[in-house]
């Protein structure tokens, strides 16, 4: 089965003056429910305030949770932060955290939201309120659940917020492969950045991805990958510039999954960016990405006896993780 994390709060009503596709996460859930994949659903709890504040300034956390974000910050985010948006903002990092814990048990798990890689310490930006990737990685390492986390960001936009929020932490590394001339104009410095020219295309993109990520994995040797699986490098995406085909996106997921599986590294994915006028088409791209990743790990499981699965045998503190999962979803494994 494929472990999926979802919460009803992911589908918040669209605030006024918002261009973000607020129904995308609900469509992703519905398409997954209608698929023939073997899925198990888990429901997260909100990320505790102390862990939000481990990545973000306390004043900004309070502004969001109390739905009093200043107008100039809301403009950077791209929409007003209403009370329902604030609830969603705290729930999504909880979902990425839960997906990471599930991945340590199952090899792979996916959050049906998240990948909010532009959020900075004292403000959100680019449709991102809290940076779920940085928050989860900091909590995982500070609680010593794992020793090293690698955040792999394949969104068409650079993961500037993630890089900034985790800079100087030797136990967290960041990798970003993105369109060089795309948002944000002012880039941060990831552990490894791979900027690509517009119109790169499938073959050149995949060559660059494998040629840079594979040696980084071998050098850093992470215990877990947090994956920002944005589907906006697609040629038809409203904000993309790299001209990947749908087949190219599928090859990307096969490559990412294969690199992780070959090294026995658990992987937790987040949705990331995907934009267009047809919300259902965008949701289908995300679902195809998620299922491609999940099926690759399931194939590995089907051909490997459980007691030899390295992510089960070698991860410390697994009993505690199981109890944490039960506490988080309150026994309800349906979205």
């Amino acid at each position: 089965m494929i472990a999926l994390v979802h919460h009803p709060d992911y589908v918040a009503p669209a605030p006024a003056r918002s261009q973000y596709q607020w129904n995308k996460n609900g469509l992703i859930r519905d398409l997954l429910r209608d698929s023939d994949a073997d899925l198990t659903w888990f429901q997260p709890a909100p990320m505790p305030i102390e862990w939000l504040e481990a990545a973000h300034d306390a004043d900004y956390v309070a502004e969001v949770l109390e739905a009093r974000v200043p107008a100039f910050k809301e403009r950077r985010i791209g929409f007003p932060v209403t009370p329902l948006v604030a609830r969603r903002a705290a729930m999504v990092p909880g979902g990425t955290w839960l997906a990471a814990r599930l991945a340590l048990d199952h090899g792979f798990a996916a959050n049906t939201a998240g990948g909010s890689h532009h959020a900075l310490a004292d403000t959100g930006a680019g449709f991102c309120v809290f940076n779920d990737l940085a928050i989860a990685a900091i909590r995982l390492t500070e609680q010593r659940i794992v020793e090293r986390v690698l955040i792999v960001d394949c969104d068409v936009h650079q993961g500037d917020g993630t890089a900034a929020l985790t800079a100087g932490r030797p136990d967290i590394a960041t990798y970003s492969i993105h369109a060089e001339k795309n948002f944000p104009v002012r880039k941060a410095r990831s552990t490894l950045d791979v900027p690509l020219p517009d119109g790169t295309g499938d073959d050149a993109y995949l060559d660059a991805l494998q040629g840079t990520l594979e040696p980084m994995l071998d050098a850093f040797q992470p215990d877990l990958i947090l994956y920002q699986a944005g589907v906006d490098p697609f040629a038809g995406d409203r904000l993309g510039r790299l001209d990947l085909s749908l087949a190219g996106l599928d090859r990307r997921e096969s490559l990412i999954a294969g690199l992780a599986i070959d090294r026995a590294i658990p992987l937790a994915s987040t949705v990331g960016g995907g934009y267009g006028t047809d919300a259902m088409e965008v949701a289908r791209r995300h679902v195809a990405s998620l299922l491609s990743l999940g099926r690759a790990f399931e194939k590995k499981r089907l051909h490997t006896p459980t007691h030899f699965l390295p992510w089960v045998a070698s991860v410390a503190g697994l009993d505690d993780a199981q109890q944490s999962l039960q506490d988080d979803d309150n026994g309800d494994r349906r979205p």
Side-chain angles (χ1 to χ4, degrees):
M1 64 91 186
I2 300 172
L4 296 178
V5 178
H6 185 82
H7 194 281
D9 285 350
Y10 288 1
V11 189
R17 307 181 309 280
S18 173
Q19 297 183 17
Y20 181 76
Q21 290 176 326
W22 288 90
N23 61 339
K24 181 170 80 169
N25 302 109
L27 292 174
I28 290 170
R29 173 203 58 202
D30 294 345
L31 287 170
L32 286 166
R33 281 176 167 174
D34 292 341
S35 75
D36 60 359
D38 183 12
L39 310 174
T40 301
W41 296 87
F42 296 82
Q43 186 165 297
M47 183 63 79
I49 291 177
E50 60 266 30
W51 292 109
L52 298 174
E53 293 177 347
H56 294 281
D57 291 351
D59 288 346
Y60 175 61
V61 172
E63 288 172 351
V64 171
L65 297 183
E66 297 167 17
R68 52 177 182 83
V69 176
F72 76 95
K73 292 186 181 181
E74 289 185 330
R75 286 193 293 272
R76 287 197 68 176
I77 293 168
F79 46 76
V81 179
T82 66
L84 290 176
V85 171
R87 281 175 51 185
R88 182 184 187 275
M91 192 64 68
V92 171
T96 298
W97 159 256
L98 179 55
R101 301 302 302 269
L102 287 162
L104 292 173
D105 190 2
H106 297 279
F108 172 77
N111 190 6
T112 61
S116 301
H117 59 168
H118 296 308
L120 299 164
D122 60 353
T123 185
F127 301 143
C128 303
V129 182
F130 290 141
N131 194 311
D132 57 294
L133 296 160
I135 293 165
I138 291 169
R139 185 176 180 184
L140 286 161
T141 52
E142 290 196 357
Q143 287 192 327
R144 299 189 181 279
I145 294 167
V146 295
E147 292 185 7
R148 292 178 300 280
V149 175
L150 174 61
I151 300 172
V152 174
D153 193 328
C154 289
D155 197 278
V156 80
H157 307 102
Q158 195 219 24
D160 59 324
T162 310
L165 292 176
T166 60
R169 292 179 175 268
D171 46 6
I172 301 173
T174 52
Y175 171 95
S176 180
I177 183 169
H178 53 267
E180 182 177 15
K181 296 180 180 179
N182 214 337
F183 178 89
V185 174
R186 182 175 298 175
K187 307 290 194 290
R189 180 176 293 179
S190 307
T191 309
L192 179 59
D193 284 301
V194 185
L196 298 174
D198 289 2
T200 292
D202 292 351
D203 292 340
Y205 179 95
L206 293 162
D207 286 346
L209 176 61
Q210 183 164 11
T212 54
L213 181 56
E214 188 167 13
M216 186 177 188
L217 286 168
D218 292 337
F220 187 62
Q221 297 184 349
D223 303 304
L224 174 72
I225 294 170
L226 293 179
Y227 180 35
Q228 210 277 21
V231 295
D232 44 8
F234 174 57
D237 191 274
R238 183 167 62 87
L239 300 181
R241 307 169 75 117
L242 294 180
D243 284 354
L244 268 64
S245 67
L246 293 177
L249 285 174
D250 187 64
R251 289 168 62 192
R252 182 191 75 176
E253 309 310 23
S254 296
L255 174 58
I256 294 286
L259 291 173
I261 290 168
D262 288 347
R263 291 158 179 79
I265 305 171
L267 185 147
S269 75
T270 61
V271 166
Y275 308 94
T277 56
D278 184 344
M280 183 63 77
E281 181 275 328
V282 175
R284 287 194 185 99
R285 273 189 268 150
H286 286 296
V287 169
S289 166
L290 189 158
L291 291 180
S292 179
L293 291 164
R295 284 168 172 156
F297 278 86
E298 282 303 288
K299 183 177 179 181
K300 172 68 174 178
R301 274 184 170 271
L302 290 173
H303 291 86
T304 308
T306 301
H307 62 284
F308 287 127
L309 283 177
W311 41 76
V312 172
S314 64
V315 177
L318 208 53
D319 291 341
D320 292 341
Q322 292 288 0
Q323 183 59 51
S324 173
L325 299 183
Q326 293 176 12
D327 293 343
D328 281 344
D329 66 18
N330 296 317
D332 181 6
R333 299 197 170 189
R334 295 296 302 172

